[in-house]
Amino acid sequence: MFGLGRQRKAESEASAQPVDHHNVDTVVNEGQTRGKTNWKNLIPVIACGAGLFSDGYINNVIGSVVTILDREYKDIWKSSNAKKYVGDIAFAGTVVGMLLFGYLSDKWSRINSLLVSTIILIIFAALAAGSYYKGDTIGMFNMLTAWRFFVGVGIGGEYPAGSVGAAENTGELKSGQRNMWFILFTNSMIDWGFVIGAFVPYVVSAACHNGHLSTIWRTSLGIGVVFPLVLFVLRLFVSEPEEFQKNSMKHARTPYRLVLKFYGFRLFIVSLIWFIYDFSAYSFAIYSPKIVANIYPSDSPLTTIFGWNTVINLFYIPGTMLGAPISDLLGPRYALALGVFLQAIVGFIMAGCYSLLAQPGRVAAFAVVYGIFQSLGELGPGNNIGLIAAKTCATGIRGQYYGLAAAVGKIGAFVGTWVFPYIEAAGGGDERLAAQYPFWVSSSLCVLSAALVLFCLPHIGQDTIQDEDARFRAFLEENG
């Protein structure tokens, strides 16, 4: 079943040639002379990376679903344990999936790992939409929560197997465009998932005339099955990345002590930056319907709340789309630092002016400023942290390295969704302070991220993957 991906012929003659590890430039320059951007070379990048659309969709649509459940079930929902867990339980599953599939993608197969994770995602996304338990409402809440955990496991596989495979396949593209194409089919897909995850509940609510609440949330969740189903078919015809065929360690014992010695500090910094980014990004995404709802009266139509939520999420798109070529122009480090620095400035301004912006008559101004804040986050860490994680280590341990860094990031998202209410509660009974504090905290963390990436991470060029393979192999040979 899992051998359906066509295997590209391994270039055994090339891999058998001894590499001059003391002359890394030979390897790097070799990568600069090859590569062509065409559909044949783009398809593997799309197939591997585009599954992250499901991450954006499923994790954003739940914010609207929670809003609907609150209206439909009122006190039953408010007093249930599911209210505490359903919004963020997918993050826990995602962490499990990242660690599991990070190992499998290194030790088994990039493509087969992707196929398994896609199957998990399809099955449990469908089960979540049809959540039911003997006609019992609380039981239905619990089943929804359980299915979302396993949905998270499927999403988790998309990160180490999918993004890593996409990064390795960009080596076949033209030099000077590789970072851009990686971003467009990884982080940009997450952001389009965010937008569609906000737009679908709006459309379904409009079709149901703001009634039939159960239909709205179940349909919104069920539509999340469509994209991975289509992508699964495409992935059946994709072969293993050439870089993985040449330099994987799936048949060798991984020297984890030497891996930590060589990459430990770098992995810590990448993981910390990812933690900080997801701490704010996913928390704001989940709470954005609530933020808009707090501006409008509690009995406002769902289409009003979801409509403005869609507008806010649309601001992710210019950040990621316009920021993609900047990562090639400036390099991922400087692009990330620029994005978070500008985001910090906007965040501080928004915190200071919140009481002026957060009024029903000025919701458009609020949406624009808040959208710019989100957009700059995508231009910086949103676009570049996954790119940095995928390209700052050797092929043999890339899935585990990336999976661990991404898992720490998702722990940040999980922590953020739990901590945000406490940050808001620190404002006491003052609604203005309760809304301002998250922006103060997030903006301060942006400044920290800029410092970390500028002073603690190396330069990342177009051929860093080949460079890292040569450096790591030389290190292993020198250390036995």
Side-chain angles (χ1 to χ4, degrees):
M1 174 179 175
F2 301 118
L4 292 173
R6 292 179 299 143
Q7 299 297 311
R8 189 182 298 163
K9 289 184 178 180
E11 298 181 11
S12 55
E13 295 86 356
S15 61
Q17 293 293 326
V19 179
D20 183 1
H21 303 297
H22 300 289
N23 187 7
V24 172
D25 290 337
T26 302
V27 179
V28 173
N29 291 334
E30 197 174 61
Q32 293 171 345
T33 60
R34 63 184 176 88
K36 183 177 181 181
T37 301
N38 55 33
W39 279 110
K40 179 182 176 181
N41 291 336
L42 274 175
I43 289 296
V45 179
I46 297 170
C48 288
L52 291 177
F53 175 92
S54 295
D55 181 27
Y57 182 88
I58 289 169
N59 281 319
N60 201 27
V61 76
I62 197 64
S64 299
V65 169
V66 167
T67 301
I68 297 167
L69 292 174
D70 185 56
R71 289 198 176 192
E72 183 177 6
Y73 296 103
K74 298 182 174 64
D75 292 339
I76 298 176
W77 169 253
K78 289 181 173 64
S79 61
S80 69
N81 287 327
K83 180 185 177 182
K84 302 175 183 177
Y85 304 118
V86 73
D88 49 31
I89 192 66
F91 295 140
T94 302
V95 169
V96 173
M98 287 171 170
L99 298 176
L100 172 63
F101 287 99
Y103 180 83
L104 290 176
S105 67
D106 280 340
K107 291 300 185 179
W108 180 33
S109 163
R110 302 279 200 247
I111 299 303
N112 290 338
S113 297
L114 267 180
L115 291 174
V116 174
S117 69
T118 308
I119 291 170
I120 293 172
L121 180 56
I122 291 168
I123 292 172
F124 289 102
L127 287 172
S131 296
Y132 178 81
Y133 187 78
K134 299 178 180 179
D136 179 60
T137 301
I138 296 295
M140 182 269 288
F141 292 159
N142 292 336
M143 294 306 298
L144 174 61
T145 304
W147 298 144
R148 276 187 55 79
F149 172 83
F150 290 105
V151 167
V153 174
I155 291 173
E158 296 287 343
Y159 278 82
S163 293
V164 163
E168 291 167 350
N169 279 309
T170 58
E172 303 296 316
L173 303 177
K174 182 180 178 181
S175 181
Q177 300 178 351
R178 294 169 182 170
N179 295 341
M180 177 186 71
W181 289 115
F182 174 85
I183 289 167
L184 290 178
F185 294 111
T186 53
N187 186 63
S188 295
M189 296 307 295
I190 297 177
D191 291 337
W192 279 110
F194 274 133
V195 172
I196 303 303
F199 183 63
V200 165
Y202 167 77
V203 172
V204 179
S205 297
C208 293
H209 304 288
N210 294 302
H212 307 286
L213 299 181
S214 183
T215 300
I216 297 173
W217 71 261
R218 290 183 185 276
T219 303
S220 298
L221 288 177
I223 288 173
V225 177
V226 176
F227 187 78
L229 193 60
V230 173
L231 200 59
F232 176 79
V233 177
L234 179 61
R235 286 171 171 174
L236 293 175
F237 302 98
V238 174
S239 55
E240 297 285 359
E242 180 182 331
E243 203 67 34
F244 180 73
Q245 295 183 44
K246 288 182 177 181
N247 296 300
S248 77
M249 297 175 67
K250 65 180 182 178
H251 298 303
R253 183 180 62 86
T254 303
Y256 288 106
R257 181 180 61 83
L258 294 178
V259 170
L260 287 174
K261 182 178 179 180
F262 196 71
Y263 285 123
F265 177 74
R266 185 180 296 181
L267 175 60
F268 171 75
I269 296 299
V270 172
S271 301
L272 181 57
I273 294 171
W274 210 329
F275 180 98
I276 292 171
Y277 167 66
D278 278 3
F279 177 90
S280 297
Y282 281 87
S283 302
F284 274 119
I286 287 176
Y287 284 99
S288 60
K290 178 183 175 182
I291 292 171
V292 175
N294 286 343
I295 296 175
Y296 276 100
S298 58
D299 59 349
S300 297
L302 289 174
T303 46
T304 300
I305 296 172
F306 295 160
W308 280 110
N309 187 36
T310 302
V311 171
I312 289 171
N313 279 275
L314 272 170
F315 279 90
Y316 284 120
I317 303 306
T320 186
M321 302 295 283
L322 297 177
I326 292 177
S327 294
D328 281 314
L329 183 65
L330 300 181
R333 283 175 62 232
Y334 292 115
L336 194 156
L338 174 66
V340 292
F341 180 74
L342 294 176
Q343 187 183 29
I345 293 174
V346 174
F348 285 133
I349 292 172
M350 193 163 187
C353 301
Y354 184 85
S355 58
L356 297 175
L357 292 170
Q359 299 178 24
R362 295 174 179 170
V363 68
F366 174 87
V368 169
V369 178
Y370 181 47
I372 291 172
F373 175 81
Q374 298 286 64
S375 186
L376 290 170
E378 295 312 294
L379 184 149
N383 275 357
N384 294 285
I385 188 59
L387 175 62
I388 289 171
K391 293 195 173 185
T392 53
C393 65
T395 299
I397 50 95
R398 184 168 294 120
Q400 295 165 87
Y401 177 102
Y402 188 103
L404 183 57
V408 172
K410 275 296 181 287
I411 292 171
F414 184 79
V415 170
T417 59
W418 276 79
V419 170
F420 252 54
Y422 292 100
I423 296 175
E424 293 174 327
D430 190 326
E431 292 185 6
R432 178 182 60 84
L433 291 178
Q436 284 178 316
Y437 282 177
F439 289 100
W440 289 121
V441 172
S442 180
S443 299
S444 300
L445 291 174
C446 285
V447 175
L448 175 60
S449 293
L452 288 172
V453 72
L454 287 176
F455 299 112
C456 300
L457 288 179
H459 171 72
I460 299 162
Q462 296 290 304
D463 301 282
T464 296
I465 285 179
Q466 293 92 338
D467 188 5
E468 286 298 325
D469 283 335
R471 289 179 63 247
F472 186 59
R473 186 178 298 177
F475 173 79
L476 293 181
E477 290 176 352
E478 290 170 5
N479 288 271

